[in-house]
Amino acid sequence: MTAIEEEGRTVVPLKGIRRTAARRMVAAWEAPAFHLAVEADMGAALRVKERSPGATVTDAILAACAAALRDHAALNAHYADETVTRFERINVGMAVDTPAGLVVPVIKDAASLDLAGMANARRDIVQRAREGQLTMDDVTDGTFTVSNLGMMGIDGFDAILNVPQVAILAVGATRQQFVPTDDGQGAWRPRARLTLTCDHRAIDGATGARFLAAVRDNIESS
């Protein structure tokens, strides 16, 4: 995009992916969305490098979502024109902060990847996103999105739907919290807030709750 310098201000016209994203944000506000939140123990996710040296906590979260989507197809869907379309392929988008702004490249067939494969795919799209090398194919056909602001110190937030997708997961920062245990004592545990935004035209509360619980369980057992 080319900035236009004027007296006292700089005007930056949106182009390409950024313009498309801006239009989708407007459409997202028209959707009747609701939010569900849980806290997850991140102990297993923080040990992800023991299982795959090149993987990160983000990869563990992406893998947990992909596995949950395989069992909860209602969340792997689009809504448009009073129709819900569910997909066999699980293509997980990942919000990436770049010098040009937020973009959401897509990891195609994410459920077919092991942790190492997920890490490789994530590194590739993040690097190309930050270098401005994404193609239109890299940012299309997403069926679900993950937005992780935890590494920026945000404890929790409600993400805006990436329409026409029917749900998006927001991940907050991992903090040490004192958690009561069954023996009446307690322990300090690393925990993070997961918030699911759902399009109520396609998903009801119970369906969203079951999916979010599955994501949490997958993260805690990963």
Side-chain angles (χ1 to χ4, degrees):
M1 62 189 73
T2 301
I4 302 171
E5 299 291 342
E6 299 178 351
E7 184 176 356
R9 64 177 183 173
T10 301
V11 180
V12 183
L14 298 182
K15 296 181 180 179
I17 293 172
R18 287 289 296 163
R19 182 168 59 184
T20 300
R23 290 173 175 171
R24 286 181 176 176
M25 292 298 174
V26 174
W29 279 111
E30 297 175 352
F34 66 95
H35 310 282
L36 302 168
V38 297
E39 289 195 349
D41 189 304
M42 301 300 287
L46 290 170
R47 297 191 299 272
V48 67
K49 289 187 183 301
E50 297 175 3
R51 301 186 300 281
S52 180
T56 66
V57 171
T58 295
D59 300 321
I61 295 169
L62 292 170
C65 289
L69 289 166
R70 194 164 45 210
D71 297 328
H72 299 267
L75 280 290
N76 193 53
H78 288 180
Y79 176 90
D81 301 326
E82 300 183 352
T83 300
V84 176
T85 303
R86 297 179 179 178
F87 300 96
E88 293 183 5
R89 296 181 72 190
I90 295 172
N91 300 330
V92 178
M94 175 185 172
V96 178
D97 181 37
T98 76
L102 179 70
V103 295
V104 185
V106 177
I107 298 175
K108 306 290 178 64
D109 290 318
S112 68
L113 301 175
D114 59 15
L115 262 178
M118 187 72 76
N120 289 336
R122 186 261 312 156
R123 275 195 299 270
D124 173 56
I125 60 171
V126 169
Q127 179 176 345
R128 289 193 291 114
R130 291 177 174 160
E131 294 174 349
Q133 299 298 318
L134 292 176
T135 67
M136 189 56 69
D137 182 63
D138 290 320
V139 296
T140 56
D141 297 331
T143 57
F144 183 84
T145 295
V146 175
S147 181
N148 184 358
L149 292 179
M151 69 281 287
M152 302 181 76
I154 300 300
D155 290 325
F157 64 104
D158 298 333
I160 299 173
L161 287 168
N162 186 13
V163 294
Q165 297 171 26
V166 301
I168 180 172
L169 182 72
V171 182
T174 297
R175 308 287 191 195
Q176 288 291 331
Q177 297 181 21
F178 192 76
V179 180
T181 53
D182 293 339
D183 61 3
Q185 302 299 310
W188 289 94
R189 298 295 308 163
R191 298 176 68 82
R193 187 176 184 84
L194 310 176
T195 306
L196 183 71
T197 301
C198 300
D199 187 333
H200 216 331
R201 296 170 298 185
I203 301 170
D204 59 33
T207 301
R210 284 190 286 269
F211 170 76
L212 186 56
V215 172
R216 179 196 58 203
D217 293 346
N218 290 344
I219 290 174
E220 293 181 345
S221 62
S222 62

